Amino acid sequence: MINETPDPGPEKLLVGLAGQQNAGKSTTFNMLTGANQHIANYPGVTVDKKTGFYRHRGVRVETVDLPGTYSLTSFSLEERVARDFLISEKPDVIVNVVDASSLKRSLYFTFQVLEMGFPVVVALNMMDVAKRNGTHVDVSALEHRLGVSVIPTIGRKRQGKTELRDAIWDTANRKAHNPLCISYEELEPAVESLKNRLDESTLTENYPTRWLAVKLLEGDSEAERIAGEYLGKQCEELKMAARIRQDFEEDHYLNVPDYMVGCRDRLATDIINTCVTETKDGRDRVTETIDKIVLNRFAAPIFLIATVFVIYQLSIVKGYELTVYWWPILAKLRAMIAGVLPSAGILEDPYVRSMGLWMVDSANALLNYIPIFLILFSLIAILEDSGYMARIAFILDKLFHSFGLHGQSTLPYILGGVFAGGCAVPGVMSTKGIPDERSRMATILTVPYMNCLAKIPFYTLLINVFFAPYKSWAMLFLSTVTIFVALLVAKLLTSTVLKSMETAPFVMELPKYHPPTLFGVGQRAIERTWQYIKKVGSIVVAVSVCVFTLLQFPGISDEKQVYFEGEMTKAVGTFQTKIAQTQYADRFKDEAALVTMINVYNDFKTAQLNTKGAQASKALSDKFKANYPEHFKFIKPQKDKDAKKVNKALRGLVSTRKSLRRQIKEAQIETSFLGMVGRSLEPVTQWAGFNWKINVAILSSFAARESSVATIGVLYQQGADDNKSLEDRMEAEAGEGGFSPLHALAIMVFFALYPPCLATTIMIKVQTGSYKWMVFSMFFPTTLGFITACLIYTGGSVLNLSGIQMMGVFYAAVVLTTVCTGLFKSWKRKPGPLPDLRQEPHPL
C-alpha cells in the first residue's frame, strides 16, 4: 500500500483582476484585499498599477487590479497594459469581474479571457442592481455554460468575499480545466489549422496558440508583431493568416473581424437566453429617473456648474476653516525641529539652521492645505463611484466638438483637474486613447490649463488674502474660466496650426448609478492625499533647497554687513544701559547669555501664539518655568521690579533685532542670483502688476507648481522668528506695499495659463515625439498668460475697477467669446440626427 501525501498547494498565488469599465472591479479589489494595497505605475506608463495582498488557507495571494477595458486588443494604452500583464506575468488565476445587470455586454470580454487559456473565476458582481432591475441569473447554468466557477458578489457591500477567495484557491489548485471554447463556425477549421501550425513553433512557450491564431486572423497588429518577432516577418504563419482572411472576405463579402464578432454575439445571446430571466422590463428605473434630471438639455449645465460650486464650497471654504486647527500642529512641528537645530544667532543664524527652517517652512506652506485636499478628493471619489463623472463626459461631448476637440478629451481634462486635484502628467498620457491626431494634439496642449493639484494652494492663498468675502465665487471663477480658455485655445489651434490633421467619431457608455461606499471613498481620498504629501516631501523640498541656494548667494555687501552689525551693537548697548542699575546687569554682559535669553523669549512668544485658552496658556507657562527657571522671570516678571525693567528693555531689543534680521533677509534676497533675475524682469512684468517677489515665485514654480507657495511663504515674512500663517504674513506685507486684489487677480490668471511644469513638458515631448511641440507648449502659454494679465491689471487700473469687479468683467468677456465661438460652429454645421452616445460600445 502506498501512502500518498496530499499536494499542499502553492505557497503564494498571483491573481489578475480583469473586467470592463464600470463593472465594479475596484470595489471587488477592495473587498478582496482590504487596506493591504499599494499603488504605483506600470513601467513606462502612467496607468495606475494597484496591487493588494491577502492570506487564505495559509497562502499569500497577490492581487493585481488591471486597467478596465472592453477588450484585449492593442488599440488603447489600457488594453495593451492589461494584455501585456497577462502574457508576461502569467497569473495563476484570472478573476473576471462582470456586471450581472448587463451580463451580455460583459461576456464579450469574458470570451477573450477564456480564449487566452488562463484559469478563470467569474465574479458575478452587482447582483443587487440586477435584482432591482428584475434580472435573475441562473448561476449554476452559467457555470455549466462557461465551464468555470461563477461567484455572485456585491463588492461594495463585501458580500461574496469568502466564496470568491475559496473559488480562487480551488481554481489555482485544480489540475485540469475545461472552459468554454468559442466556436467561430465556418472559420473554425481555419482557426484550428493555424493553431496547429503555431503549436509546432517556439511561440508555444510564451503565448496561448489558439488565442494567437484568432488574433492573427483578425489582423491584430500586436499579434502580427509577435509572430514576426519570433518567426520572421515573412513567416508562413503570417502569410497563411492573410490568405485565409482574403479568401473568406472574397467568398462572404464580410471581413473576418466582423464575422468573429458576430460569432461571439450569437454565443452571448444563446447564453443569456438559457441563463438569464427578466421579470421586469430589464431597465434600471433609478438611473433613468436621475438621468432625466441631470442629463436634461437645459438642466444639465446648471446641475454641472452647481456641482462644481458645491465641491469648492465644501472643500475650499469649509476645508480652509479646518486649517485653523491644523496650522497650530504644523507650527508645533516647526518649533520641535527648530529646537534640535543649532541655536539662532543674535543677528544671523547658522547655515544649517537657516536651510533647515527654510525647508520646513516650504513644506508647511503646502501641508497646511491637507484638510482641503481630504475633502476635495473625497467629493471627487463620490462623483466617480456614483457614476456622475461619466455623465460629465456625456454633457461636454457636444461642446467639445464645437471647439475642435473630441469626446474622449474629457478624461484627460478630468485627470488634469477639470474640477481640481488632478495632474497634467497623467492627463497628457491619457490622450493616447483619442483616435484622431488633431483633437489629440489640441488636448495635449490644453490639458495644462486645467486646475491641477499643485495650483490649488496658490489660488487658495491669494483668495483668502485678497478675496476673502468672495471665496466661493472666486474659486468658481478660477475653476470654470480655465475650461473656457482651454476651449478657445483648442479652437484657435485646431483652426490654424493643427487644421490639416484628421478627426474621428466618439463612442462612449454611461454606467448605472451606484451609491459610493465609505471605505472606497475614504481610501481613495487618503491615497491621493498621501501622494500629495510625498510630492511635498520630495520635489518641493528639493526645489526649495535649490531656491534657497540661489537666494543666498552672492550675499550682501561688506558695507551693509558692517552697517547691520553696528545697528545691532547699538541696540545691545541701549539694552545694557537700561538695565545697568538692576541687580541683573552683570548677567547679560556676556553675548552668549544674552542670545540664549532672546531665543527663550522668542520661543515662548511663538508657542503662545499657537495656544488657545487660559488652561493651555497656564500649562505653557508652567512648562517654560520648569525648563528655564533662570530665564522665565524675565519673560513674566511678577513683583520683582528689576526683572520688570529687564523685561521692558528685552522687548525693545527683540523688536530691533527682528527688524534688522528682516532687513538683512530682504537685502540678501534682492542681491541674490534669483532676486536679480526677478528685479531685471520688473520693468516688463510691472504692466501685469507683478513685483520682483512674484517674478521669483513664478520662476521657481516651473520645476514644480507647488514651489510657488513655498517660495512666497519664505519671501513674504516679517522676521526670522515669525511663526504666523502665510496668509497673515502676506496680508500684512501686501498692505504695506500697496498690493491690491487687482494685482492678485492678474497673478492668478497668469498662473492659470502659465506653461506646464517641467514634468509635463517632458511628457508632452514623449507623447508628441517632437521638441518643437514641447517648446511651443512653453512659449505660447507664457505669451498668452502675460498678455491676459496685462489686460486685466492695466485695463482694470485705467477703468478704476476693483479686483472683484474686474473678475466679473473678464469672466463675462471670456464666457461671451466662448459662447459666440461655439454657436458660430454649430450654425455652420449642417443639421442632422445626433448620435446616441448612450448606446453600448461596439463589442471589439
Side-chain angles (χ1 to χ4, degrees):
M1 182 176 180
I2 300 174
N3 293 323
E4 293 185 357
T5 304
D7 187 357
E11 295 181 358
K12 60 181 181 178
L13 294 175
L14 176 62
V15 175
L17 206 65
Q20 294 180 344
Q21 298 173 8
N22 308 313
K25 195 162 53 64
S26 295
T27 56
T28 304
F29 177 75
N30 292 334
M31 178 181 73
L32 284 174
T33 62
N36 300 315
Q37 300 179 10
H38 173 70
I39 298 179
N41 287 334
Y42 286 94
V45 299
T46 57
V47 174
D48 277 349
K49 180 182 182 180
K50 293 182 71 175
T51 305
F53 302 90
Y54 68 89
R55 298 196 70 84
H56 188 68
R57 300 187 187 181
V59 176
R60 185 176 187 267
V61 183
E62 178 183 353
T63 306
V64 179
D65 186 12
L66 299 174
T69 65
Y70 290 106
S71 71
L72 290 174
T73 61
S74 57
F75 296 128
S76 72
L77 176 63
E78 288 79 8
E79 292 170 350
R80 201 155 53 246
V81 166
R83 193 168 82 173
D84 289 348
F85 172 85
L86 296 178
I87 292 173
S88 61
E89 299 297 329
K90 294 181 172 56
D92 299 294
V93 179
I94 298 297
V95 176
N96 175 212
V97 182
V98 303
D99 181 358
S101 64
S102 301
L103 184 57
K104 183 179 179 180
R105 186 196 66 202
S106 298
L107 284 176
Y108 297 120
F109 185 85
T110 304
F111 293 160
Q112 295 180 64
V113 175
L114 291 174
E115 210 155 43
M116 295 191 77
F118 291 102
V120 174
V121 174
V122 172
L124 193 61
N125 197 35
M126 299 188 187
M127 291 295 289
D128 55 336
V129 178
K131 183 179 179 181
R132 188 172 67 236
N133 295 348
T135 302
H136 173 72
V137 181
D138 187 336
V139 176
S140 298
L142 186 61
E143 278 189 333
H144 177 71
R145 292 298 305 269
L146 296 179
V148 299
S149 297
V150 177
I151 309 299
T153 64
I154 304 176
R156 65 184 186 84
K157 296 182 179 179
R158 304 190 179 287
Q159 293 182 12
K161 179 175 74 171
T162 302
E163 293 82 355
L164 185 56
R165 286 182 172 183
D166 286 340
I168 292 171
W169 193 91
D170 292 338
T171 301
N173 287 277
R174 193 178 302 152
K175 299 298 182 183
H177 300 273
N178 189 28
L180 168 71
C181 181
I182 296 92
S183 173
Y184 290 103
E185 301 171 8
E186 293 186 39
L187 271 172
E188 188 61 30
V191 172
E192 281 299 311
S193 176
L194 184 56
K195 173 188 175 299
N196 293 335
R197 186 171 185 88
L198 292 171
D199 284 338
E200 300 172 0
S201 68
T202 56
L203 283 166
T204 55
E205 300 175 4
N206 298 299
Y207 299 96
T209 51
R210 180 175 172 86
W211 167 81
L212 192 59
V214 170
K215 289 301 171 187
L216 287 175
L217 289 178
E218 287 181 329
D220 183 275
S221 59
E222 186 66 11
E224 291 176 344
R225 185 196 64 78
I226 292 170
E229 183 178 316
Y230 278 80
L231 308 176
K233 293 183 178 180
Q234 302 298 322
C235 65
E236 185 58 34
E237 287 78 4
L238 286 174
K239 293 179 180 178
M240 180 179 177
R243 190 164 55 249
I244 293 171
R245 196 162 53 244
Q246 182 180 354
D247 292 344
F248 182 87
E249 291 174 358
E250 288 178 355
D251 293 341
H252 294 78
Y253 300 99
L254 179 68
N255 63 42
V256 170
D258 286 347
Y259 180 79
M260 288 184 160
V261 166
C263 293
R264 294 173 191 142
D265 183 66
R266 286 188 288 275
L267 177 60
T269 301
D270 183 52
I271 291 175
I272 293 300
N273 290 337
T274 57
C275 301
V276 177
T277 304
E278 299 287 352
T279 58
K280 296 180 183 179
D281 59 5
R283 294 185 297 173
D284 188 341
R285 297 193 179 277
V286 174
T287 295
E288 288 186 359
T289 302
I290 297 175
D291 279 346
K292 285 180 181 178
I293 301 171
V294 302
L295 296 183
N296 179 273
R297 177 174 297 183
F298 302 104
I302 298 173
F303 191 83
L304 177 59
I305 294 173
T307 301
V308 177
F309 181 81
V310 169
I311 286 174
Y312 280 108
Q313 181 69 24
L314 293 177
S315 61
I316 304 299
V317 178
K318 299 301 180 183
Y320 183 75
E321 292 176 2
L322 295 178
T323 62
V324 175
Y325 305 98
W326 176 241
W327 175 256
I329 297 174
L330 297 177
K332 288 179 181 178
L333 177 64
R334 181 189 190 277
M336 290 174 56
I337 295 174
V340 299
L341 292 173
S343 299
I346 192 168
L347 197 59
E348 292 187 273
D349 297 339
Y351 189 82
V352 173
R353 180 182 178 84
S354 297
M355 177 178 282
L357 292 181
W358 174 283
M359 293 166 63
V360 172
D361 289 339
S362 299
N364 276 0
L366 295 165
L367 295 178
N368 187 43
Y369 299 102
I370 285 178
I372 293 175
F373 288 130
L374 280 171
I375 297 174
L376 182 62
F377 291 146
S378 297
L379 294 173
I380 291 176
I382 290 172
L383 292 180
E384 292 172 340
D385 290 352
S386 66
Y388 183 67
M389 191 69 84
R391 269 73 184 173
I392 296 171
F394 179 81
I395 295 168
L396 296 177
D397 174 62
K398 187 177 180 181
L399 174 68
F400 281 172
H401 276 290
S402 298
F403 293 90
L405 293 171
H406 194 275
Q408 292 186 12
S409 301
T410 306
L411 177 61
Y413 279 173
I414 290 174
L415 292 176
V418 69
F419 286 142
C423 178
V425 174
V428 171
M429 275 297 296
S430 65
T431 58
K432 282 189 174 182
I434 301 175
D436 64 277
E437 194 65 14
R438 186 181 74 178
S439 296
R440 179 173 174 269
M441 284 300 304
T443 307
I444 287 173
L445 296 172
T446 53
V447 161
Y449 292 130
M450 297 299 102
N451 296 306
C452 74
L453 177 72
K455 294 179 181 179
I456 304 304
F458 187 77
Y459 294 155
T460 306
L461 167 66
L462 293 180
I463 286 172
N464 280 291
V465 173
F466 297 101
F467 297 96
Y470 315 100
K471 288 181 185 178
S472 299
W473 296 110
M475 285 307 300
L476 179 63
F477 161 77
L478 285 169
S479 63
T480 54
V481 76
T482 50
I483 300 173
F484 292 128
V485 171
L487 293 176
L488 289 173
V489 171
K491 177 62 178 175
L492 175 64
L493 295 176
T494 53
S495 301
T496 54
V497 293
L498 304 177
K499 187 176 182 179
S500 60
M501 297 182 179
E502 296 180 355
T503 59
F506 170 58
V507 178
M508 66 171 294
E509 171 206 9
L510 296 184
K512 295 178 176 65
Y513 287 104
H514 303 289
T517 62
L518 181 63
F519 177 82
V521 170
Q523 183 186 47
R524 218 164 326 158
I526 293 171
E527 284 173 355
R528 292 173 177 176
T529 304
W530 177 241
Q531 290 177 352
Y532 172 75
I533 293 172
K534 288 193 294 185
K535 195 170 185 180
V536 170
S538 55
I539 298 175
V540 174
V541 172
V543 171
S544 71
V545 172
C546 297
V547 173
F548 176 82
T549 304
L550 291 172
L551 289 173
Q552 294 299 306
F553 297 98
I556 60 177
S557 65
D558 292 339
E559 293 180 0
K560 286 190 174 181
Q561 185 69 34
V562 171
Y563 166 76
F564 288 127
E565 289 176 356
E567 292 297 307
M568 192 66 225
T569 301
K570 290 180 184 178
V572 172
T574 302
F575 171 78
Q576 299 286 3
T577 301
K578 289 181 178 179
I579 67 168
Q581 303 302 318
T582 68
Q583 59 179 312
Y584 305 110
D586 293 338
R587 174 177 294 188
F588 298 108
K589 287 184 177 179
D590 179 58
E591 183 177 324
L594 181 59
V595 171
T596 302
M597 181 67 247
I598 292 173
N599 289 338
V600 172
Y601 179 87
N602 282 327
D603 290 343
F604 178 79
K605 291 299 181 182
T606 298
Q608 199 174 40
L609 288 173
N610 300 300
T611 302
K612 306 292 183 182
Q615 188 174 354
S617 296
K618 185 178 182 304
L620 178 66
S621 297
D622 292 342
K623 177 184 176 182
F624 269 79
K625 187 174 182 180
N627 293 338
Y628 308 100
E630 294 301 319
H631 300 84
F632 190 74
K633 59 185 174 184
F634 303 116
I635 298 174
K636 275 195 170 184
Q638 301 297 323
K639 296 181 180 180
D640 189 337
K641 293 183 179 180
D642 286 351
K644 288 182 179 180
K645 289 182 180 180
V646 174
N647 173 268
K648 185 177 180 180
L650 182 63
R651 281 185 280 130
L653 177 61
V654 168
S655 178
T656 302
R657 173 180 178 260
K658 179 180 289 188
S659 176
L660 289 172
R661 286 165 69 91
R662 179 184 175 186
Q663 293 177 45
I664 290 174
K665 278 190 172 292
E666 289 182 345
Q668 199 169 41
I669 290 172
E670 288 186 42
T671 57
S672 67
F673 293 130
L674 205 55
M676 286 187 285
V677 174
R679 287 285 188 191
S680 66
L681 292 174
E682 263 192 329
V684 177
T685 61
Q686 65 176 342
W687 297 103
F690 302 172
N691 60 25
W692 70 273
K693 291 184 179 181
I694 297 299
N695 292 342
V696 170
I698 288 173
L699 290 171
S700 69
S701 70
F702 177 70
R705 285 289 178 268
E706 297 90 341
S707 300
S708 58
V709 174
T711 304
I712 287 177
V714 186
L715 293 177
Y716 281 92
Q717 52 188 330
Q718 294 174 311
D721 302 310
D722 201 353
N723 207 22
K724 293 181 180 179
S725 70
L726 176 55
E727 284 83 357
D728 292 339
R729 282 182 275 151
M730 190 173 186
E731 187 171 10
E733 189 165 339
E736 296 173 8
F739 207 74
S740 69
L742 192 60
H743 290 83
L745 176 63
I747 294 167
M748 288 191 297
V749 172
F750 176 81
F751 199 74
L753 306 181
Y754 187 55
C757 65
L758 182 62
T760 306
T761 56
I762 294 173
M763 190 52 61
I764 290 174
K765 163 62 178 68
V766 172
Q767 291 300 306
T768 62
S770 168
Y771 284 105
K772 177 187 73 174
W773 289 118
M774 185 185 77
V775 173
F776 181 84
S777 72
M778 291 187 287
F779 282 95
F780 178 77
T782 302
T783 305
L784 176 65
F786 184 71
I787 292 173
T788 305
C790 289
L791 290 173
I792 289 174
Y793 176 71
T794 306
S797 299
V798 171
L799 298 174
N800 198 27
L801 297 176
S802 66
I804 194 66
Q805 289 172 335
M806 191 61 200
M807 183 184 292
V809 170
F810 176 71
Y811 191 67
V814 172
V815 172
L816 184 61
T817 304
T818 306
V819 171
C820 291
T821 304
L823 290 176
F824 178 72
K825 176 69 175 179
S826 301
W827 176 75
K828 286 183 65 179
R829 188 188 298 127
K830 294 181 180 180
L834 292 175
D836 181 8
L837 299 179
R838 300 185 61 194
Q839 63 186 328
E840 292 184 352
H842 191 279
L844 298 173

